């Protein structure tokens, strides 16, 4: 799913990617996240659509929030601008 959403973001639009994630939520596609993760991913994507924050990055944030993880190893600076639910911050490790 991460690759599909990346390609949608790159070659289509943030809205197309959001629609795909809504289809995942609705059971059209199988996902590895639980229902709450999928809802949070869509929420983050909508909140940061002008960024745009894609589903791949949003999924890392959603799972980190659920698990209480405060550090993510990632070269992407998107995480530095996102306020997370209940964590207050995510430290991005190089």
């Amino acid at each position: 799913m991460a690759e599909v959403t990346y390609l949608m973001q790159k070659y289509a639009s943030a809205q197309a990617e959001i629609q795909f994630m809504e289809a995942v939520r609705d059971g059209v596609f199988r996902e590895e996240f639980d229902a709450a993760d999928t809802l949070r991913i869509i929420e983050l994507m909508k909140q940061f659509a002008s960024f745009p924050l894609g589903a791949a990055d949003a999924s890392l944030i959603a799972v980190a929030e659920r698990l209480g993880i405060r550090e993510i190893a990632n070269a992407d600076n998107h995480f530095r601008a996102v306020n997370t639910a209940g964590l207050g911050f995510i430290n991005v490790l190089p």
Side-chain angles (χ1 to χ4, degrees), residues 6-87:
Y6 166 76
L7 293 171
M8 291 184 85
Q9 183 184 82
K10 185 172 181 175
Y11 295 107
S13 66
Q15 186 58 37
E17 188 180 16
I18 289 168
Q19 288 174 334
F20 173 78
M21 287 304 300
E22 288 172 338
V24 170
R25 174 200 61 204
D26 296 339
V28 175
F29 301 99
R30 181 176 173 224
E31 86 285 342
E32 298 300 322
F33 310 111
D34 65 25
D37 290 338
T38 304
L39 292 173
R40 181 63 176 143
I41 291 164
I42 293 167
E43 179 181 291
L44 287 164
M45 290 173 67
K46 286 180 177 179
Q47 181 179 354
F48 295 98
S50 63
F51 229 47
L53 182 69
D57 291 338
S59 68
L60 292 176
I61 293 168
V63 172
E65 288 175 343
R66 178 168 48 87
L67 298 177
I69 294 171
R70 293 184 177 269
E71 295 184 326
I72 295 176
N74 193 302
D76 194 337
N77 286 326
H78 282 107
F79 295 102
R80 298 185 198 285
V82 176
N83 293 324
T84 63
L87 297 180

